């Protein structure tokens, strides 16, 4: 078992929601640690340009925004560490987070682990991951200069990333299972204006084809059931995300692997455990709203701790 460390607040995750909560907890002079398993920023660190975060009229890159938020939290005395929490437990009135490197104990916990890309779950996808199958346009589009790619999905991520990929690829086939997109109008209009994007509507990818690298995909028309092959050098999968809540099975058996319900203070069904951003049910999944939820949880955690210490 690793070293044992005591805090007032543990924040699990290192994206915008986590870092906003950290700014508030730090300013409230709570001993606070932010635990991130891989790299600070979460999904936003993979975003080349955020155009709708207020205060940046020319847009801001994910990594830059993350660095600014992290520096701001650290200025208020917040500790940040790379460690993956494997298990969270209650020990009387303390919460205990078991990381790979240490054990962290605190009065309150703010869950902000974010979400990971959802898989299509079709043959060939896992086998050819990293060999043409990707979940991040911003990261991998430059490998597809002058190549043909398929992008899958009809949400904001799919359309925004498909547009970004056109900067490199010579052709993007956007495969979506309906005729309507759920993405913002502004992205839909841009996609329809972009000559490099071809729409493949009412279609689903049923198989990724290729031996050592992606050579094509099999698509099925959802109404006729007819299948055909699209030749392609890459497949970008943008079919939504799944919250990183599986490790919470012992505390939230019904919600593990799903979004966590909270009250208006971002408190879960367990007193002193808060949830913010992409792990939270009903979140709008925007950087700006994640930051608002993080700030709310930071304030609410401070009030909750103060009330308890006063015997309330
Ligand atoms: P999303 O909004 O959940 O969209 C997922 C898309 O994938 C939907 O079009 C869905 O089709 C499709 N899909 C789901 N499962 C599928 C499957 N098995 N096979 C084929 N298609 C499948 O996910 P997202 O685009 O990643 O966005 C997540 C959240 O982040 C959203 O709230 C979004 O607004 C937000 N976001 C915002 C921005 C921004 O710039 N404002 C950028 C990125 C993300 P159906 O439409 O038929 O359900």
């Amino acid at each position: 078992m690793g070293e044992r460390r005591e805090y007032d607040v543990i924040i699990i995750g290192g994206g915008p929601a986590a870092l906003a909560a950290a700014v508030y907890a730090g300013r409230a002079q709570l001993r606070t640690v932010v635990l991130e398993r891989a790299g600070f920023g979460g999904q936003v660190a993979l975003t080349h340009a955020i155009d709708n975060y207020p205060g940046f009229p020319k847009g801001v890159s994910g990594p830059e925004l993350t660095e600014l938020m992290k520096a701001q939290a650290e200025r208020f005395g917040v500790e940040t560490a790379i460690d993956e929490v494997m298990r969270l437990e209650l020990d009387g009135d303390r919460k205990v987070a078991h990381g790979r490197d240490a054990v962290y104990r605190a009065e309150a916990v703010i869950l902000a682990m974010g979400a990971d890309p959802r898989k299509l779950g079709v043959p060939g996808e896992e086998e050819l991951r990293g060999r043409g199958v990707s979940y991040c346009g911003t990261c991998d589009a430059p490998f597809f200069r002058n190549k043909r790619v398929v992008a899958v999905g009809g949400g904001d991520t799919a359309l925004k990333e498909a547009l970004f990929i056109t900067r490199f690829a010579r052709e993007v086939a956007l495969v979506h299972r309906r005729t309507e997109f759920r993405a913002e109008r502004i992205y839909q209009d841009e996609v329809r204006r972009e000559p490099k994007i071809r729409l493949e509507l009412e279609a689903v990818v049923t198989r990724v084809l290729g031996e050592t690298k992606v050579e094509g995909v099999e698509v099925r028309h959802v109404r006729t059931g007819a299948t055909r092959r699209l030749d392609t050098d890459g497949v970008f999968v943008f079919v939504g995300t799944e919250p990183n809540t599986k490790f919470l099975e012992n505390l939230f058996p019904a919600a593990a692997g799903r979004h966590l319900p909270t009250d208006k203070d971002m408190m879960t069904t367990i007193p002193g455990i808060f949830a913010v951003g992409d792990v939270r049910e009903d979140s709008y999944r925007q950087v700006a709203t994640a930051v608002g939820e993080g700030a709310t949880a930071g304030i609410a955690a401070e009030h909750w701790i103060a009330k308890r210490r006063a015997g309330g």
Side-chain angles (χ1 to χ4, degrees), residues 52 154-157 176-178 182 184 187 239-240 285-286:
N52 50 8
D156 284 326
T157 306
H176 177 41
R177 62 188 179 185
R178 295 188 293 137
R182 67 173 65 224
E184 278 180 51
Y187 296 134
V239 296
R285 312 200 194 295
Q286 307 291 309

Side-chain angles (χ1 to χ4, degrees), residues 46 48 136-138 156-166 238:
L46 309 176
H48 62 284
C136 178
T138 305
D156 284 326
T157 306
L159 273 64
K160 193 176 174 196
E161 293 282 72
L163 287 161
F164 178 74
I165 295 167
T166 61
F238 306 120

Side-chain angles (χ1 to χ4, degrees), residues 85-265:
V85 175
M86 314 300 292
R87 189 172 163 85
L88 186 65
E89 283 173 355
L90 306 179
D91 177 15
D93 59 357
R94 311 289 285 172
K95 280 86 189 170
V96 187
H98 295 267
R100 285 188 190 277
D101 297 339
V103 176
Y104 309 83
R105 292 167 55 89
E107 276 173 80
V109 169
I110 299 175
L111 301 169
M113 296 79 66
D116 279 341
R118 180 180 293 136
K119 311 281 183 311
L120 284 173
V122 299
E125 181 184 21
E126 193 54 43
E127 295 84 335
L128 294 169
R129 184 177 184 161
R131 299 190 212 164
V133 175
S134 168
Y135 301 86
C136 178
T138 305
C139 321
D140 295 332
F143 296 120
F144 294 89
R145 197 174 288 278
N146 295 324
K147 303 221 163 135
R148 284 173 305 186
V149 308
V150 163
V152 190
D156 284 326
T157 306
L159 273 64
K160 193 176 174 196
E161 293 282 72
L163 287 161
F164 178 74
I165 295 167
T166 61
R167 295 191 198 176
F168 303 91
R170 78 166 188 268
E171 168 191 309
V172 179
L174 181 59
V175 177
H176 177 41
R177 62 188 179 185
R178 295 188 293 137
T179 50
E180 305 287 315
F181 290 109
R182 67 173 65 224
E184 278 180 51
R185 190 87 234 170
I186 188 168
Y187 296 134
Q188 296 191 33
D189 293 346
E190 275 185 63
V191 157
R192 289 186 199 279
R193 276 200 308 269
E194 171 53 59
K196 282 186 176 178
I197 297 183
R198 188 180 84 242
L199 300 181
E200 294 277 352
L201 300 179
E202 296 188 281
V204 288
V205 170
T206 45
R207 185 178 286 273
V208 180
L209 306 165
E211 286 293 319
T212 54
K213 62 180 176 56
V214 170
E215 289 165 15
V217 291
E218 181 186 85
V219 292
R220 179 168 52 81
H221 194 276
V222 293
R223 278 187 299 112
T224 66
T227 59
R228 68 199 167 93
R229 176 189 167 115
L230 301 180
D231 289 331
T232 185
D233 302 299
V235 186
F236 284 88
V237 179
F238 306 120
V239 296
T241 58
E242 285 173 355
N244 291 316
T245 52
K246 287 208 183 79
F247 75 98
L248 298 170
E249 206 164 17
N250 58 319
L251 294 181
F252 301 96
R258 298 159 182 249
H259 295 99
L260 298 164
T262 68
D263 66 12
K264 69 169 180 38
D265 282 335

